[in-house]
Amino acid sequence: MTKPTVGFYDLTGCNGCLLSFVFNEDEILHIAKHVDIKTFRFIKEKKDDKQYDVVFVEGLVASNEDIESIKSIREKTKILVALGACACTGCIPAYRNFIEPSKYVYLTYDKIKEINDVQPTPISMHVQVDYSIPGCPADKKQILEFIKELVLGKKPHDYDRPVCFECKLNENRCLLDDNKMCLGPITRGGCNAICTNGKFECWGCRGPMPDANLPLISKLLEQKGFSKDAIKQRLRTFAALQMEKLPVMKPIVIKKKAVKKVKKPKKKLAKAKKKVAKKVLKPKKKIATKMAKKVVKKKIVKKKAAIKKTAKKMIKKTAKKTVTKKKTKNNSNKKQKSLFGKLFKRLGK
Ligand code: SF4
Ligand code: SF4
Ligand code: SF4
């Protein structure tokens, strides 16, 4: 009986999922008796990559080289298996789709810019995927089960219950009751609720259930006191591109060469600044003229008041003078009258 030929490949990822398979150290030799592992760079130095029955692919598509690799792998195999969260949902690297390039581009090394990267996406967005083994990393036992079913000629099956199911079987206290942000109700199970067993909330690394009710979990978590932003971030962490069914989760559309695009807005910014400056300066001029007018008015009013004052003073002075003149006239008249009186009196004598 000919053994099925198997290959393990990796695109952009951390190799955690490939290691997960290697951690089945007790069973690997047994597996090797039943399948022909042709390519696995942790085990074999040389690639023997003409044709395969099954290929497991770890990592996501994040460069033009990845696109070429996944297309060539697809042509070589009858069955393609997405291994781990990166390959299945895009995992944490796909979060980049939701961040403005200006916020991360300064973190990239100059050499990395030569890689010719593309927006990170799961492999199913580039080629047809036959099966998925989710998780970050993919569960080592699930990989083993998958290979056993394959050898036995059975159709490998997806785990179709949420994490909560296994969590309740393990008699864990629900973390939602302790106001922790657990995504167990919407996350595909099969990991034996490994996180909630240790009292850590489920972050959804195995991706959402096909019938995940995102608006409802968001509402529930909001009622627990979590902000919309915090919920959105948690939902995006491991399966951002799958969660985009929710209107608020739409990714940012970034056209080719995001790095250059970041530089271009500088010119636009300068233009915009000029426009804003014009708009801002114009009213300033208006304000300045208004202010000047007000000042002039005030000055005029003050001057008028001063003129009035001086005029009043002048009038008073002249009035006084005339009064004193009259008085002096009267006095002189009186004096004259008294003199004439004396003369007449003498003449009369
Ligand atoms: S799914 Fe997790 S463990 Fe696997 S390659 Fe991606 S980051 Fe690494
Ligand atoms: S702790 Fe999380 S996984 Fe467990 S029952 Fe509660 S919500 Fe579900
Ligand atoms: S409990 Fe949630 S986060 Fe933890 S391994 Fe399972 S699916 Fe992933």
Side-chain angles (χ1 to χ4, degrees):
M1 186 182 141
T2 53
K3 295 185 210 172
T5 50
V6 175
F8 286 83
Y9 281 82
D10 57 294
L11 303 173
T12 299
C14 75
N15 289 158
C17 291
L18 292 185
L19 275 174
S20 205
F21 172 69
V22 175
F23 289 151
N24 285 305
E25 59 267 24
D26 296 335
E27 289 93 352
I28 274 187
L29 290 175
H30 181 66
I31 290 169
K33 282 181 192 172
H34 298 281
V35 295
D36 184 4
I37 299 174
K38 293 238 179 223
T39 305
F40 195 147
R41 66 186 179 90
F42 288 180
I43 302 170
K44 289 187 159 189
E45 255 182 63
K46 283 182 186 174
K47 278 186 187 175
D48 180 6
D49 59 354
K50 280 174 191 163
Q51 279 296 321
Y52 302 96
D53 290 312
V54 187
V55 167
F56 295 84
V57 178
E58 178 211 85
L60 77 166
V61 173
S63 66
N64 284 323
E65 202 186 335
D66 285 342
I67 296 173
E68 281 169 28
S69 302
I70 193 63
K71 282 182 180 169
S72 121
I73 292 166
R74 178 67 266 187
E75 282 169 13
K76 287 176 193 163
T77 182
K78 291 174 192 161
I79 295 168
L80 181 65
V81 185
L83 183 64
C86 285
C88 295
T89 59
C91 197
I92 293 165
Y95 204 129
R96 203 180 96 172
N97 292 286
F98 297 87
I99 303 171
E100 288 290 344
S102 56
K103 287 186 180 165
Y104 59 76
V105 97
Y106 71 96
L107 292 166
T108 52
Y109 298 107
D110 282 344
K111 272 191 176 180
I112 303 292
K113 284 173 189 164
E114 293 161 18
I115 288 177
N116 205 1
D117 64 326
V118 294
Q119 281 303 92
T121 39
I123 58 173
S124 61
M125 287 179 80
H126 301 270
V127 292
Q128 191 206 318
V129 172
D130 302 301
Y131 296 101
S132 297
I133 302 178
C136 179
D139 184 65
K140 66 172 190 175
K141 282 184 188 162
Q142 203 181 354
I143 304 170
L144 210 62
E145 285 298 314
F146 186 95
I147 294 171
K148 277 181 192 171
E149 284 173 337
L150 194 80
V151 171
L152 293 170
K154 284 184 184 175
K155 197 179 174 221
H157 68 282
D158 277 341
Y159 194 87
D160 57 2
R161 287 192 170 115
V163 175
C164 287
F165 184 79
E166 289 162 307
C167 184
K168 286 288 118 197
L169 282 181
N170 297 339
E171 298 181 356
N172 295 330
R173 178 184 158 78
C174 183
L175 297 171
L176 286 173
D177 291 341
D178 296 337
N179 285 333
K180 288 190 177 173
M181 205 195 290
C182 187
L183 296 187
I186 57 152
T187 303
R188 190 188 288 275
C191 57
N192 193 29
I194 191 167
C195 300
T196 57
N197 292 346
K199 293 189 172 51
F200 290 107
E201 60 260 42
C202 171
W203 279 62
C205 83
R206 291 175 65 82
M209 292 285 296
D211 57 352
N213 193 334
L214 300 183
L216 192 64
I217 188 83
S218 303
K219 200 178 166 187
L220 176 77
L221 294 174
E222 262 183 68
Q223 282 167 359
K224 296 270 170 203
F226 296 104
S227 70
K228 277 185 182 169
D229 263 1
I231 298 164
K232 219 193 288 178
Q233 277 176 17
R234 181 65 61 94
L235 289 170
R236 279 174 176 173
T237 305
F238 281 100
L241 290 170
Q242 278 201 339
M243 299 284 190
E244 72 180 89
K245 289 173 206 163
L246 200 68
V248 288
M249 306 288 287
K250 288 277 178 213
I252 294 161
V253 180
I254 299 159
K255 288 169 193 169
K256 285 173 192 172
K257 297 193 178 175
V259 180
K260 280 188 180 175
K261 279 255 165 179
V262 178
K263 288 176 184 172
K264 275 186 180 175
K266 276 185 181 175
K267 282 182 185 174
K268 282 184 183 174
L269 256 178
K271 277 186 182 177
K273 272 181 184 175
K274 274 184 184 176
K275 272 187 182 177
V276 171
K278 274 183 185 175
K279 278 182 185 176
V280 173
L281 283 172
K282 271 183 185 174
K284 269 186 182 176
K285 278 180 187 173
K286 280 180 187 175
I287 290 163
T289 49
K290 273 184 185 177
M291 292 278 279
K293 277 179 183 176
K294 272 185 182 178
V295 171
V296 170
K297 266 186 183 178
K298 271 185 182 178
K299 279 182 179 176
I300 291 165
V301 170
K302 271 186 181 178
K303 272 188 179 178
K304 276 182 179 177
I307 290 163
K308 266 187 183 178
K309 262 188 179 181
T310 47
K312 274 181 183 178
K313 277 180 184 176
M314 294 273 281
I315 290 161
K316 271 185 183 178
K317 272 184 181 179
T318 47
K320 269 183 184 180
K321 275 180 184 176
T322 48
V323 170
T324 47
K325 270 182 184 177
K326 272 182 184 177
K327 274 183 181 178
T328 47
K329 262 187 182 180
N330 286 342
N331 288 339
S332 61
N333 285 342
K334 275 179 184 176
K335 275 179 183 178
Q336 273 181 347
K337 275 180 183 177
S338 61
L339 279 170
F340 282 125
K342 280 176 183 177
L343 277 171
F344 284 129
K345 268 183 184 179
R346 279 181 189 176
L347 285 170
K349 277 177 185 178

